[in-house]
Amino acid sequence: MNILAIETSCDESAVALLAGAGRQATLIGERIASQVALHARFGGVVPELASREHLRALPPMVEALLVDCRRDWRDIDAIAVTAGPGLMGALLVGVSYARGLAAASGLPLIPVHHLEGHLLAAGIGGDPLPQPSVTLLVSGGHTLLVRVDGVGRYRLLGQTVDDAAGECFDKCARMLGLGYPGGPAIADAAARGEAARFAFPRPMLRKPNLHFSFSGLKTAVAYLLRDQPDLLASADGVADVAASLQQAICEVLATKALAACRQQGVDDLVIAGGVAANRRLREMLAARCGRQGVRLHLPRGSHCTDNAAMIAYAAWLRHRQGLPIPARDRWDARARWPLDSVVAGTV
Ligand code: KG4
Ligand code: ZN
């Protein structure tokens, strides 16, 4: 089954073509057009600009993808699209375009939950992910620990009570003058810095639950820069703050993720979402998983950040398991869409 997928929930226009057969799905091709350059001078995503750029970028990307993959419309069996959650205007462009394609071609349309795409992304191109597993999903808007017992069988174990980890990276990067998107910028600066120089708090680390809180960490960085403004004037100062901040965020994420595995009696940890591309986090988790006898499953970096391959893959898995696909009157874009509404048996 060949699935053409479209993802426009935030600031990446992405398309992918995936072939699923038996237990495995092979990615035939994908294209991602980042809007970073467009939004960088505003220090963050400008929703209206994002929508217009998706509208401009999508049609030629789909055509180019089919050419790249040496396929035409007769080879496609279904169209998948991110229906939410995300920026409403940006989602509307992708969903309307996908609905148009489905109507014109007579192909079925599969609306996909963006977070379900992230949750399953580590399985793209390989064996299906082990079940049960614990997934740490860390993106710009979400920080979740989820027990995954199968496709559509998700149980939320913990989440952030305020800012997401990615949001903390982004806000601190702005304070440090490192620009947008903050995660990769902090990671670059941190590579030249001293992670032990500043003892930032490790929020919620000693609490026995699986929740996170990152807004206090952001405030700690703000106070440090207020009290020692000279730090901003030196590349070393910025690098040391970045490295110390990255270390604090990664330690909290890694500690809670492994605590979740212990608590659930699960030996497979999966990571997902943009922050899962962070090298320090990947190294730290690999070391700690090794010590705890937990197997770590990592998506490739380009499938941690937003992409359409994960949307195609989630659509294929749902289809393969015979899970319900929303009827035509439920194809609308949804800016807010709780993950627990895509558990097996519902849509
Ligand atoms: O999953 P994603 O691409 O989009 C959302 O669904 O939110 O995640 C974007 C987030 C941003 O906050 C970005 O700064 C962060 O992921 N991010 C990173 C890295 N790459 C992206 N954070 C830390 N290190 C990275 N290498
Ligand atoms: Zn995302």
Side-chain angles (χ1 to χ4, degrees):
M1 180 185 195
N2 290 336
I3 300 187
L4 174 78
I6 291 167
E7 151 68 43
T8 62
S9 65
C10 190
D11 58 347
E12 320 275 0
S13 315
V15 296
L17 186 59
L18 177 122
R23 291 178 76 238
Q24 282 204 343
T26 309
L27 183 60
I28 306 177
E30 68 178 322
R31 284 189 166 231
I32 302 182
S34 168
Q35 300 182 359
V36 163
L38 179 69
H39 301 288
R41 68 194 169 102
F42 301 103
V45 180
V46 181
E48 178 61 26
L49 290 182
S51 312
R52 289 177 197 211
E53 186 55 21
H54 288 311
L55 194 56
R56 197 195 61 73
L58 266 187
M61 283 178 81
V62 169
E63 292 307 322
L65 177 73
L66 291 175
V67 172
D68 290 348
C69 301
R70 296 194 184 83
R71 300 289 198 285
D72 67 30
W73 285 102
R74 282 167 306 196
D75 300 313
I76 310 293
D77 300 300
I79 295 167
V81 64
T82 304
L87 299 173
M88 192 54 178
L91 289 166
L92 270 172
V93 172
V95 170
S96 308
Y97 182 59
R99 288 175 74 154
L101 288 179
S105 60
L107 292 170
L109 181 69
I110 308 179
V112 174
H113 193 291
H114 181 80
L115 296 183
E116 186 170 41
H118 276 305
L119 273 183
L120 303 169
I124 299 172
D127 287 330
L129 291 173
Q131 298 158 5
S133 60
V134 165
T135 299
L136 172 69
L137 199 173
V138 268
S139 69
H142 296 86
T143 302
L144 311 176
L145 275 166
V146 183
R147 180 185 165 109
V148 178
D149 283 289
V151 179
R153 296 176 63 202
Y154 311 124
R155 185 143 60 82
L156 187 63
L157 304 173
Q159 62 183 321
T160 181
V161 297
D162 42 53
D163 291 353
E167 200 176 349
C168 184
F169 272 114
D170 293 337
K171 287 177 174 169
C172 293
R174 199 178 304 180
M175 290 187 246
L176 288 167
L178 291 173
Y180 146 93
I186 297 244
D188 278 354
R192 299 180 295 276
E194 174 51 63
R197 177 160 172 203
F198 300 107
F200 288 126
R202 271 55 172 160
M204 311 282 266
L205 201 58
R206 311 226 167 277
K207 293 254 164 59
N209 60 40
L210 297 173
H211 294 310
F212 302 90
S213 164
F214 290 106
S215 73
L217 194 46
K218 169 193 70 190
T219 309
V221 172
Y223 284 165
L224 175 73
L225 297 176
R226 182 198 62 188
D227 297 342
Q228 299 184 45
D230 288 353
L231 286 171
L232 285 172
S234 89
D236 283 351
V238 169
D240 291 348
V241 177
S244 305
L245 170 73
Q246 176 177 263
Q247 183 71 11
I249 295 176
C250 293
E251 270 183 37
V252 174
L253 293 174
T255 305
K256 293 271 178 176
L258 282 158
C261 291
R262 265 195 309 275
Q263 188 206 76
Q264 295 293 311
V266 165
D267 291 333
D268 288 280
L269 175 65
V270 178
I271 61 171
V275 179
N278 185 275
R279 226 184 56 216
R280 182 76 195 101
L281 179 65
R282 293 166 86 99
E283 287 165 2
M284 190 185 288
L285 280 170
R288 293 191 184 194
C289 284
R291 287 200 291 274
Q292 201 173 304
V294 168
R295 289 175 292 270
L296 179 62
H297 305 269
L298 304 162
R300 68 159 99 133
S302 63
H303 290 157
C304 290
T305 45
D306 289 345
N307 66 89
M310 68 182 190
I311 302 304
Y313 187 58
W316 177 68
L317 287 175
R318 283 189 86 83
H319 169 85
R320 193 175 69 122
Q321 309 251 322
L323 293 181
I325 303 297
R328 204 170 270 264
D329 62 346
R330 297 289 309 277
W331 284 358
D332 291 329
R334 283 173 252 184
R336 289 179 185 279
W337 186 8
L339 183 64
D340 56 14
S341 66
V342 293
V343 295
T346 63
V347 281

